[in-house]
Amino acid sequence: MSTLLSNLNPEQLQAVSLPAQHALILAGAGSGKTRVLTTRIAWLIQSGQVDPAGILAVTFTNKAAKEMLARLGAMLPVSTRGMWIGTFHGLSNRLLRAHHRDAGLPQLFQILDSADQLAAIKRLLKTLNVDDEKFPPRELQHFINGQKEAGHRPHAVEAWDDYTRLRVQLYQEYEAQCQRESVVDFAELLLRSYELLERNEPLRRHYQRRFRHILVDEFQDTNRLQYRWLKLFADEGREGGAAMFCVGDDDQSIYRFRGAEVGNMRDFEREFRVSNVIRLEQNYRSHANILDAANAIILHNSNRLGKNLWTDQGAGEPIRVFEAYADADEARWIVEEIQALVRDGGLRSEIALLYRSNAQSRVLEHQLFAAGIPYRVYGGLRFFERQEIKHALAYLRLIANPDDDTSFARVVNFPTRGIGARSLEVLTDAARTYNTSLYATVPHLSGKPGSALAVFVRLVEDLRRDTAGLPLPELVDHVLDLSGLRAHYKADREGRERLENLDELINAAANFLAEAQAQSGAGEALAQPHALLADFLAHASLEAGDHQADQGADAVQLMTVHAAKGLEFDVVFLSGLEEGLFPHENSILEQDGLEEERRLMYVAVTRARARLYLSFAQSRMLHGQTRYNLRSRFLEEVPAGLTKWLTPPSPRAAAGGAMGGMGGGYFKPSAKSAVGGTPQVPRAPRPSFATLPGGLRIGQAVAHAKFGQGVIVAAEGSGSDAKVQINFGPAGVKWLLLGVARLEPV
């Protein structure tokens, strides 16, 4: 026991050894939250307070779940197999597999990933002859998933206009299509499992009695349905229910666009009457200057639960700030700094270039390429999302479930076998008439379409028959050959890499088989024909959602701030710190949008271990237009004593009172530099800011006949096409054409 709890700081020890009560752990960036969560589970089991089967632990990525299981296996002399530790979607899938009849699903139901779901929606719109310009498939996908994440079935959706009513009807048709094809999307996994537990009281009571401790990682990223799902297992916080141990950081809640609800933390504290709120504030990642900057920035947000990161690692280096004339200059400077760092012995893989918007990456990539510096854009296509793998999985899904229309449509003519769009249109119409799947409809067709499609059906039947008794890796190998995929890519001049990926799929199947046999004994998993295949396909769908970085390459890492969450690097460059870019211009118009942008900034800053660079450009090419921007307010929020300006900071007119809701004035560096105390020589403003018609410039207060007084915060274009972005305070932020606006300097 003493070994297990050794090397924990006082706050970590307090959290790990809490009695069986509800608790909220506010774990700051780099404070060891994963260690606390894992050690808590190990301590509960080792001290005899709960059996491994009585633990329910929820994470947000498969990677995190695997890491937790690996750590537990090293800590405890007990098997972690069979423990309910996984993602919300993974655990929901497990629950639905075990109780598929009660959930109204076949045992071998398939899971649609995001791309497959979009394909299914497109197919539905075509079947119903719905104009996809009026109802864009992606928007409809977002609407459906949003309603499911809110816990709403079609009959419960409020529709106040004709457009919404039509979307609700399409949602209903989509549900019917999925039920007919025995498929579920990601959002359905969670909603279906929630509904199952909500309406089936004996089943709900069973799991409430079983799970005595519920532990949740990244609690700030939960949406409303996920929180309600957890509450069901915890018996709504009633006396005698499971103890909820939630770990999160409200300052790192940056996924509102995905439905994340940071208010869940406050609701949990209130509804579960949480008396144990423990703050993990000691940071083991970054030096003090970086943490002090992060603390100062996030302090400007309201409604925080509150914490203050600190470290005993010393102040470290000052935060370096660079002002460039244009975005190309900014990129060149970043590349030169990277070259200097590498010459000094730094690893390229420990250098990250972060940006708010993907549109910023082009100029950075161009400069890196020109300098011959290897780089990788984090978040490219993952293994299970590659085209050839998706094709192979579609054939495998048809073996497990021939009624999967999405998979049928994907490979019915791939590799090409003379089945054209007209034949598929006839098949789709007939399927709707007979209310059957595409596969089951083929025997009803005659003529050329019927003959061509019958050949494909016979191929699938042959695959199902020939693979019934094969081990999973051999099954996959057989399908790759008989489907024609291997032959197709062998004939392709550029198919070598795709063939290697197909071979890797066989390796993935072999690894999955080995793990399944280790958990349940060799042969048991194959007791039912194709049962293991269904599990493998579910695994592939769930894995497709995780970001997996390539291993072993010493390359500079490029990524958005969103993608950087959970990662850390020795050196971090954060570029594009300009108003309208970071914070993003849309955030100013959204409720709590600016606070979410500030949380993003907090996440970006805390990715750095030793050295942090902040940079901005006076002008930037975005979407084919040159834009002139003020430097970001977030720079002003960093205390001057923590920074070292690599360029003499140019004074800019403070926009203070005129900015209204924009948050006050902008960065006004002190007369002395942060490091060394040497007075800086002020630099005259760049002439580019005086080139606007009428003698106007960025940062100038102006008056408009309709919107009142405001401040120019950005500009783009030139001549008659020149536009300015103006913050009019209560009237909001507007883009106005200079030639028409009739602005008067104030």
Side-chain angles (χ1 to χ4, degrees):
M1 186 75 69
S2 59
T3 305
L4 193 64
L5 301 181
S6 62
N7 300 320
L8 296 175
N9 67 39
E11 292 77 22
Q12 290 174 334
L13 179 61
Q14 184 188 357
V16 167
S17 57
L18 279 172
Q21 299 172 357
H22 306 307
L24 178 61
I25 313 301
L26 293 177
S31 62
K33 66 177 178 63
T34 305
R35 182 184 184 190
V36 166
L37 201 65
T38 309
T39 309
R40 169 74 172 173
I41 297 172
W43 181 76
L44 289 170
I45 295 171
Q46 196 177 76
S47 60
Q49 297 184 56
V50 68
D51 291 325
I55 296 283
L56 176 68
V58 191
T59 68
F60 267 82
T61 66
N62 290 312
K63 182 181 177 184
K66 288 176 180 176
E67 183 183 345
M68 192 176 293
L69 284 167
R71 289 194 186 188
L72 281 172
M75 289 179 175
L76 295 172
V78 298
S79 175
T80 57
R81 298 185 191 119
M83 290 185 69
W84 281 60
I85 297 177
T87 64
F88 281 101
H89 295 120
L91 294 173
S92 294
N93 172 60
R94 184 170 179 175
L95 183 71
L96 293 175
R97 297 281 176 195
H99 307 283
H100 61 93
R101 289 189 182 88
D102 293 322
L105 289 168
Q107 186 175 6
L108 301 181
F109 69 85
Q110 298 301 305
I111 302 171
L112 298 177
D113 64 18
S114 183
D116 287 334
Q117 183 192 21
L118 185 62
I121 290 171
K122 288 178 179 177
R123 184 160 39 81
L124 175 72
L125 295 176
K126 189 174 181 180
T127 301
L128 299 175
N129 291 318
V130 175
D131 188 352
D132 59 7
E133 290 188 2
K134 290 183 179 177
F135 296 91
R138 283 197 184 278
E139 287 186 15
L140 185 58
Q141 180 185 33
H142 182 74
F143 171 78
I144 291 171
N145 289 341
Q147 295 302 328
K148 288 187 178 185
E149 288 168 1
H152 298 154
R153 292 295 183 190
H155 64 83
V157 180
E158 293 185 350
W160 301 103
D161 55 79
D162 291 341
Y163 182 72
T164 306
R165 278 190 284 273
L166 286 170
R167 287 203 295 180
V168 171
Q169 290 176 20
L170 291 172
Y171 175 18
Q172 193 166 3
E173 290 287 345
Y174 169 76
E175 282 210 321
Q177 174 179 285
C178 289
Q179 191 68 26
R180 187 168 61 248
E181 298 174 11
S182 302
V183 296
V184 298
D185 53 51
F186 276 175
E188 182 70 20
L189 280 173
L190 194 67
L191 180 56
R192 186 76 66 110
S193 64
Y194 171 81
E195 291 172 339
L196 171 65
L197 291 171
E198 186 185 42
R199 69 170 181 264
N200 193 324
E201 186 178 354
L203 190 66
R204 184 172 69 252
R205 294 298 179 200
H206 165 76
Y207 282 105
Q208 287 172 349
R209 286 192 298 270
R210 173 177 175 172
F211 298 126
R212 305 313 302 156
H213 289 269
I214 299 172
L215 302 97
V216 189
D217 194 13
E218 305 286 6
F219 189 58
Q220 78 280 351
D221 292 335
T222 54
N223 60 35
R224 297 306 296 179
L225 182 60
Q226 288 165 340
Y227 179 47
R228 288 163 61 189
W229 187 88
L230 290 166
K231 286 169 66 177
L232 279 183
F233 281 104
D235 197 16
E236 306 291 337
R238 296 186 183 93
E239 192 77 27
M244 284 267 286
F245 186 90
C246 298
V247 183
D249 183 1
D250 56 328
D251 292 334
Q252 294 190 74
S253 179
I254 60 173
Y255 295 122
R256 188 173 58 154
F257 65 95
R258 293 181 187 170
E261 180 54 66
V262 69
N264 286 345
M265 299 183 77
R266 289 187 290 273
D267 290 347
F268 168 65
E269 189 179 3
R270 185 185 71 257
E271 293 169 1
F272 283 72
R273 297 175 294 282
V274 177
S275 57
N276 295 309
V277 178
I278 298 173
R279 289 167 170 81
L280 304 182
E281 297 177 311
Q282 185 174 359
N283 179 282
Y284 295 93
R285 175 188 299 161
S286 308
H287 289 131
N289 280 343
I290 293 169
L291 299 180
D292 290 347
N295 289 330
I297 291 166
I298 204 64
L299 197 62
H300 288 77
N301 274 3
S302 57
N303 300 317
R304 296 173 60 231
L305 293 170
K307 66 182 172 314
N308 197 65
L309 298 179
W310 63 275
T311 184
D312 57 9
Q313 297 186 70
E317 301 178 20
I319 298 167
R320 293 162 169 83
V321 184
F322 182 83
E323 178 181 15
Y325 178 63
D327 52 354
D329 301 320
E330 180 189 38
R332 274 192 293 271
W333 166 77
I334 290 173
V335 167
E336 289 168 2
E337 284 291 315
I338 291 171
Q339 290 171 323
L341 290 167
V342 173
R343 281 196 300 270
D344 292 341
L347 292 173
R348 284 187 287 266
S349 57
E350 286 296 338
I351 300 173
L353 274 57
L354 308 186
Y355 36 81
R356 175 63 179 87
S357 169
N358 270 313
Q360 293 170 249
S361 76
R362 182 196 62 81
V363 67
L364 293 169
E365 290 186 61
H366 178 75
Q367 294 296 337
L368 288 166
F369 179 80
I373 298 175
Y375 70 91
R376 187 176 66 83
V377 180
Y378 188 86
L381 281 178
R382 297 169 290 279
F383 179 76
F384 287 112
E385 293 183 336
R386 293 169 189 167
Q387 182 200 69
E388 61 278 11
I389 301 300
K390 298 277 283 185
H391 289 325
L393 291 176
Y395 278 105
L396 294 171
R397 287 194 175 103
L398 285 175
I399 291 173
N401 173 24
D403 295 324
D404 182 347
D405 283 3
T406 301
S407 296
F408 185 101
R410 184 180 187 92
V411 295
V412 65
N413 198 41
F414 191 91
T416 55
R417 37 180 78 88
I419 300 172
R422 177 59 186 158
S423 297
L424 291 177
E425 187 177 339
V426 171
L427 177 64
T428 304
D429 291 342
R432 186 151 186 85
T433 302
Y434 292 103
N435 197 28
T436 54
S437 67
L438 297 177
Y439 187 91
T441 308
V442 171
H444 296 289
L445 298 186
S446 57
K448 186 179 178 182
S451 304
L453 288 163
V455 172
F456 177 70
V457 167
R458 281 196 295 274
L459 170 64
V460 176
E461 289 293 337
D462 289 344
L463 289 173
R464 285 171 60 83
R465 184 189 65 248
D466 295 344
T467 60
L470 293 178
L472 186 61
E474 293 181 30
L475 184 156
V476 174
D477 190 27
H478 193 74
V479 169
L480 295 179
D481 277 332
L482 266 67
S483 64
L485 286 175
R486 268 212 181 98
H488 173 81
Y489 289 118
K490 279 181 181 175
D492 188 349
R493 280 191 310 174
E494 299 177 0
R496 181 176 175 182
E497 186 178 341
R498 298 189 187 275
L499 285 169
E500 290 173 355
N501 286 333
L502 291 176
D503 288 339
E504 188 59 32
L505 183 64
I506 301 172
N507 296 338
N511 292 337
F512 185 84
L513 175 63
E515 290 177 7
Q517 289 176 335
Q519 289 183 24
S520 51
E524 185 181 336
L526 298 175
Q528 183 180 347
H530 299 133
L532 189 62
L533 174 60
D535 291 340
F536 175 66
L537 292 170
H539 161 80
S541 294
L542 294 168
E543 281 284 317
D546 275 358
H547 288 291
Q548 305 260 346
D550 295 336
Q551 299 295 320
D554 186 25
V556 174
Q557 310 291 301
L558 274 70
M559 67 196 75
T560 63
V561 179
H562 280 103
K565 188 171 180 292
L567 304 177
E568 56 186 72
F569 305 90
D570 288 343
V571 181
V572 168
F573 290 85
L574 179 57
S575 63
L577 279 171
E578 300 137 29
E579 287 292 314
L581 191 56
F582 198 6
H584 196 276
E585 59 191 8
N586 292 342
S587 69
I588 301 164
L589 306 175
E590 297 173 359
Q591 187 177 5
D592 300 325
L594 187 57
E595 295 216 346
E596 176 121 340
E597 289 292 298
R598 190 171 280 110
R599 291 194 291 269
L600 262 178
M601 181 69 181
Y602 178 84
V603 167
V605 169
T606 54
R607 298 311 94 195
R609 297 192 193 102
R611 185 176 286 197
L612 175 63
Y613 294 88
L614 306 177
S615 64
F616 63 98
Q618 293 186 8
S619 65
R620 182 174 302 277
M621 283 290 291
L622 281 175
H623 314 297
Q625 294 281 342
T626 300
R627 291 182 58 169
Y628 303 97
N629 299 297
L630 286 172
R631 51 180 171 258
S632 171
R633 71 190 66 201
F634 298 151
L635 278 170
E636 182 182 8
E637 294 171 359
V638 178
L642 303 176
T643 61
K644 176 183 180 180
W645 282 73
L646 302 180
T647 50
S650 58
R652 199 78 56 80
M659 291 303 291
M662 294 283 283
Y666 293 93
F667 195 91
K668 293 176 285 186
S670 63
K672 296 182 181 290
S673 72
V675 181
T678 305
Q680 299 288 337
V681 179
R683 186 172 59 183
R686 297 287 186 181
S688 59
F689 295 118
T691 61
L692 299 176
L696 301 174
R697 54 179 174 75
I698 304 293
Q700 184 169 9
V702 293
H704 186 270
K706 181 179 180 182
F707 303 119
Q709 286 195 9
V711 173
I712 301 175
V713 296
E716 66 179 37
S718 60
S720 60
D721 295 325
K723 295 187 294 184
V724 290
Q725 188 183 41
I726 304 174
N727 188 339
F728 289 104
V733 181
K734 313 287 184 184
W735 277 102
L736 301 177
L737 198 65
L738 268 178
V740 179
R742 297 183 181 178
L743 300 172
E744 295 291 335
V746 176

